Amino acid sequence: MNKKYIDDFYNRVSEDKKCEIFALSLPLFLINRDLMVKSENFLKTNYDLLHTDIDVLASLYFNGKDYIMSPTELYDALILSSGGMTKVLKKLQDRGLIKRDSVTNDKRKNLVCLTQKGIELTEEIMDNKALMVEKSFSVLDKKEKENLKNILSKVLYSLN
């Protein structure tokens, strides 16, 4: 990113009080975009996966020790359409990363579960992505990271 552009931007918004809020929102947008582009490239290059694919795997992984959710729970959590979710689940199932099982007492209902291969791949991806994201925040010391985490969580919780 061009430092001169950033400096000029901050100077302009500080001179115009009604635009001052953009000094908060634009950096968040640019940081998010940078992280997403790097992450998308990393996932595609190293694993031939997209963000939606790893979002499904991570949702299952962080859901608990059984790594099970219904397709409805998954697309509600990820804000995907049921059609979009079906396509992602098929891809992940074809690669042996998830399995879909019928509920014992209701054959119309399915549950999605990570396979051992899916668990191992998700852990590997999370480890590698954590290292990648850590590099982006390495300019901050421990206290600054904690402050930023607290500030961002306060804003995030206020979004509801």
Side-chain angles (χ1 to χ4, degrees):
M1 172 119 341
N2 185 321
K3 184 177 176 351
K4 181 179 177 350
Y5 171 77
I6 295 170
D7 291 341
D8 290 346
F9 165 77
Y10 280 122
N11 288 332
R12 282 193 308 269
V13 297
S14 68
E15 293 168 0
D16 186 349
K17 292 299 178 199
K18 65 183 178 213
C19 292
E20 195 170 36
I21 193 66
F22 296 125
L24 297 175
S25 63
L26 182 65
L28 288 172
F29 171 77
L30 294 174
I31 292 165
N32 179 62
R33 186 176 69 185
D34 182 70
L35 290 171
M36 291 296 286
V37 167
K38 286 177 182 172
S39 180
E40 193 71 52
N41 289 337
F42 167 78
L43 290 171
K44 187 68 176 156
T45 302
N46 294 293
Y47 301 100
D48 193 29
L49 292 172
L50 301 174
H51 263 287
T52 52
D53 303 327
I54 191 60
D55 288 347
V56 168
L57 296 174
S59 293
L60 290 165
Y61 184 82
F62 289 113
N63 190 47
K65 291 293 180 201
D66 56 4
Y67 311 113
I68 295 174
M69 294 175 82
S70 73
T72 302
E73 291 171 322
L74 278 167
Y75 68 72
D76 283 347
L78 299 173
I79 314 169
L80 286 175
S81 68
S82 60
M85 180 59 67
T86 300
K87 182 178 170 184
V88 171
L89 293 178
K90 171 131 179 55
K91 175 183 177 180
L92 296 175
Q93 186 173 16
D94 289 348
R95 291 187 54 181
L97 301 174
I98 63 164
K99 62 182 180 173
R100 293 192 267 188
D101 294 324
S102 298
V103 175
T104 309
N105 58 352
D106 186 353
K107 297 296 183 198
R108 297 169 297 159
K109 198 172 192 179
N110 288 312
L111 294 175
V112 180
C113 178
L114 281 176
T115 63
Q116 187 59 41
K117 181 179 176 182
I119 293 167
E120 291 167 6
L121 182 67
T122 303
E123 289 174 345
E124 179 183 327
I125 290 170
M126 290 300 164
D127 289 346
N128 288 325
K129 280 187 69 175
L131 291 172
M132 185 178 67
V133 172
E134 182 62 39
K135 286 180 187 176
S136 296
F137 290 94
S138 64
V139 297
L140 303 175
D141 65 30
K142 186 176 180 174
K143 182 67 175 162
E144 289 170 326
K145 288 177 187 175
E146 187 65 29
N147 288 338
L148 180 60
K149 181 184 87 171
N150 291 335
I151 291 165
L152 292 175
S153 61
K154 186 175 184 177
V155 174
L156 184 61
Y157 283 120
S158 76
L159 297 178
N160 293 330

